[in-house]
Amino acid sequence: MAESDPRIKGEPLPRCPGISVHDLMAADSNPVPEFLYRDEYENLGSKPIPTSRYTDPAFFELEKEKMWPRTWQFAAREEEMPEAGDHVVYDNAGKSFLLVRQDDGSIKGFYNVCLHRGRQLKTEAGWSSALQCPFHGFTWNNDGSMKTIPCRWDFSHLKDEDMALPEVTVGRWGGYIFLREARDGPTLEEFLAPMPEHFRRWKHEECATAIWVGKVCHANWKVVMEAFMESWHTVVTHPQLLPFTGDANSMYNIYGDYVNLTVTPFGTMSPHLDPQGRSQQWIVDEFVKYNGRSSDNYEGGDAPEGGYNVRVPDGKTAREALGESLRATTTKMFGHDVGFASDAEMMDAILYNVFPNWSPWGGFQPNIVYRWRPWGDVDHCLMEVRIITRVPPGQEPPRAPKMKFLGVDQKWTEAPELGILGDVFEQDMANLPFVQVGLKSSRNGKVELANYQEIQIRQFQNTLMKYIDGEL
């Protein structure tokens, strides 16, 4: 699709030379949703970001005071707590919260604090008929009402109606459960817009967590998160992806204050590579080889049904061939017919970033879901990676696995269930701790951003400062 297409809003944008997202989607095998090729961009200026936002303990405290309590936070997935009495503990930025499934299927959220001496009521997910403090035995019903006060004769000054657990606001969308401390502010649907409209096609409520790994990283939570808000670091950090990734031809959209979208095309060669002598079949072979499913594994070159022995017919592109194969394989694996899906929705990196710390992928493949949380101090964070997959029709969603926890000295590759993603994340980790050291060593105290390819970082930083300054 040409840059002058009337469905593209605003002025033509600077693009890396090469095939654009719009060109690829114009040639797609199936119709592509309009929102995946419509530019939503505005110039946010070129002012540098102070390094102190990543390194200053005082700024870290301002985030805890002015931002975190006022924003919606992704706290759990529905399949983590499917039964009445199930509870999930969500800890972030020095506070602990408790989500509890009620008898009617609703979910309530509480501050995870005993109102007697302040102990956390729960320290991990589980099931309880009631919420009893392990210290002295004060007990609440799962709806937060007071149930039992031990030695009640010595607490004549306490009334049950005054001892209900303080609640936080709970929101639910797409199989995700959110909480917010503040009572005022945008509704969850307003906060997430336009994602509810976009995700009607992809229906994350029909998915369940298959893999869940978290790792402590030696870098500020924003440093790590912002590494996933642009794709152009691929050329140096992830060079093995270049044969089948249009890294610098990605599209970056921003939607208001809270949501942005990156579309990075796969099945096409990076504009950083010389295309001379490299065929569409070469692109496919590199894609298959990287994913560990080379057709060489199959005797006679014939892959089993739904396999990855992908051949590019004359007159077809790598994207068309891969899209056809992925539609067939995904339909077979998960029981949902995705024959209508576009090539883009089957292979491209369609990554939404939601302020402040949550990033789900769109499309019809098993989706990656990221979450980042401060971890103790300004210099550490917990990065979580989930893979959610579609539940076959008629089956009950399986309960989510427990998160595999990797410490700061462990590698992502120590979670073999992540497959090739573990290697990719390790390449990122080769940079991020040294970004944190570099920011602390900066002489001019500035971070300079690209106007387009890093526009999402600027949007995020602008929204953060609106919270810090009391504008949101």
Side-chain angles (χ1 to χ4, degrees):
M1 185 173 301
E3 298 293 337
S4 59
D5 190 284
R7 288 171 289 187
I8 302 173
K9 292 186 176 181
E11 296 297 320
L13 300 173
R15 300 281 192 194
C16 180
I19 299 174
S20 72
V21 167
H22 306 103
D23 296 326
L24 293 168
M25 292 188 182
D28 205 291
S29 302
N30 286 328
V32 180
E34 183 190 9
F35 59 81
L36 278 185
Y37 56 73
R38 184 180 63 232
D39 281 311
E40 298 278 356
Y41 170 83
E42 60 180 298
N43 192 309
L44 297 180
S46 304
K47 188 176 180 180
I49 306 301
T51 58
S52 59
R53 294 184 192 173
Y54 305 92
T55 63
D56 185 1
F59 191 85
F60 185 71
E61 293 301 315
L62 285 175
E63 293 173 347
K64 291 163 63 175
E65 175 189 351
K66 296 191 173 185
M67 186 274 287
W68 289 111
R70 295 198 55 79
T71 191
W72 286 104
Q73 301 177 47
F74 161 50
R77 284 275 307 174
E78 296 277 358
E79 65 270 14
E80 292 179 59
M81 45 187 309
E83 304 294 336
D86 285 345
H87 61 261
V88 168
V89 175
Y90 173 69
D91 296 333
N92 188 29
K95 293 183 179 179
S96 185
F97 306 95
L98 189 61
L99 297 170
V100 185
R101 179 79 70 177
Q102 303 298 299
D103 289 339
D104 63 359
S106 64
I107 296 172
K108 286 194 169 188
F110 308 105
Y111 290 87
N112 187 19
V113 180
C114 176
L115 300 182
H116 171 221
R117 296 270 290 277
R119 193 206 191 275
Q120 285 181 279
L121 293 171
K122 301 292 181 181
T123 57
E124 60 183 16
W127 179 90
S128 297
S129 60
L131 307 174
Q132 184 176 77
C133 177
F135 197 176
H136 296 90
F138 273 66
T139 305
W140 285 263
N141 297 305
N142 282 336
D143 65 1
S145 60
M146 189 79 244
K147 181 177 183 180
T148 304
I149 297 179
C151 294
R152 185 178 284 271
W153 58 267
D154 208 15
F155 291 91
S156 59
H157 54 293
L158 298 182
K159 297 180 180 180
D160 284 4
E161 56 267 29
D162 297 330
M163 289 293 287
L165 291 176
E167 294 189 37
V168 294
T169 305
V170 172
R172 299 161 70 184
W173 169 80
Y176 300 94
I177 305 167
F178 301 80
L179 62 79
R180 182 177 66 189
E181 290 187 75
R183 296 293 179 183
D184 61 334
T187 66
L188 179 60
E189 290 71 22
E190 291 169 340
F191 195 88
L192 295 177
M195 285 178 57
E197 176 187 351
H198 294 187
F199 276 72
R200 285 196 189 105
R201 286 178 66 86
W202 305 319
K203 297 181 174 146
H204 278 201
E205 64 273 15
E206 294 181 353
C207 299
T209 303
I211 296 169
W212 186 7
V213 180
K215 173 176 164 46
V216 177
C217 306
H218 195 160
N220 183 264
W221 67 279
K222 299 184 295 297
V223 166
V224 180
M225 181 184 66
E226 289 173 0
F228 293 82
M229 286 189 180
E230 48 86 4
S231 296
W232 72 286
H233 68 277
T234 301
V235 64
V236 174
T237 302
H238 310 299
Q240 77 277 12
L241 305 181
L242 298 178
F244 50 84
T245 305
D247 54 331
N249 289 132
S250 298
M251 182 181 76
Y252 299 94
N253 281 356
I254 56 174
Y255 308 103
D257 288 322
Y258 306 115
V259 178
N260 60 56
L261 166 64
T262 302
V263 180
T264 300
F266 287 167
T268 187
M269 195 184 310
S270 169
H272 296 293
L273 296 184
D274 182 359
Q276 187 69 31
R278 288 165 170 164
S279 66
Q280 293 295 300
Q281 185 64 54
W282 180 82
I283 295 172
V284 167
D285 290 344
E286 290 296 308
F287 178 89
V288 171
K289 180 171 64 176
Y290 178 71
N291 283 275
R293 294 173 288 209
S294 172
S295 59
D296 293 340
N297 294 331
Y298 306 116
E299 293 185 10
D302 293 324
E305 184 179 358
Y308 279 81
N309 182 20
V310 181
R311 293 290 176 258
V312 182
D314 291 342
K316 295 288 187 179
T317 66
R319 280 174 67 83
E320 290 174 304
L322 285 168
E324 181 178 356
S325 175
L326 290 167
R327 279 187 289 271
T329 303
T330 301
T331 297
K332 179 179 175 62
M333 287 179 63
F334 300 107
H336 295 269
D337 184 1
V338 294
F340 64 92
S342 61
D343 301 332
E345 294 169 287
M346 295 310 303
M347 73 182 76
D348 290 348
I350 303 171
L351 176 60
Y352 290 78
N353 294 294
V354 182
F355 189 88
N357 65 329
W358 174 56
S359 297
W361 285 44
F364 288 103
Q365 285 292 293
N367 294 126
I368 304 171
V369 180
Y370 299 121
R371 180 171 63 183
W372 298 270
R373 288 184 276 173
W375 201 251
D377 59 32
V378 70
D379 294 322
H380 294 85
C381 73
L382 177 67
M383 175 176 168
E384 297 169 67
V385 179
R386 293 177 189 244
I387 309 295
I388 63 171
T389 58
R390 297 184 190 283
V391 179
Q395 293 187 18
E396 287 294 317
R399 186 180 286 269
K402 186 177 181 180
M403 184 185 76
K404 175 179 282 190
F405 183 87
L406 301 174
V408 70
D409 295 323
Q410 292 182 278
K411 296 181 180 295
W412 284 103
T413 49
E414 293 181 49
E417 58 267 44
L418 289 174
I420 57 176
L421 287 176
D423 298 303
V424 174
F425 297 148
E426 270 307 300
Q427 290 175 319
D428 290 312
M429 291 304 112
N431 292 323
L432 301 179
F434 300 104
V435 172
Q436 190 69 15
V437 172
L439 291 169
K440 288 189 169 187
S441 307
S442 174
R443 177 67 182 270
N444 68 7
K446 298 177 182 179
V447 171
E448 301 285 1
L449 299 175
N451 288 334
Y452 180 66
Q453 293 186 100
E454 292 170 329
I455 186 68
Q456 296 176 350
I457 298 174
R458 190 173 300 283
Q459 177 216 30
F460 167 82
Q461 289 286 336
N462 287 352
T463 300
L464 174 62
M465 291 312 298
K466 288 180 181 179
Y467 278 99
I468 298 299
D469 295 337
E471 298 174 20
L472 289 174

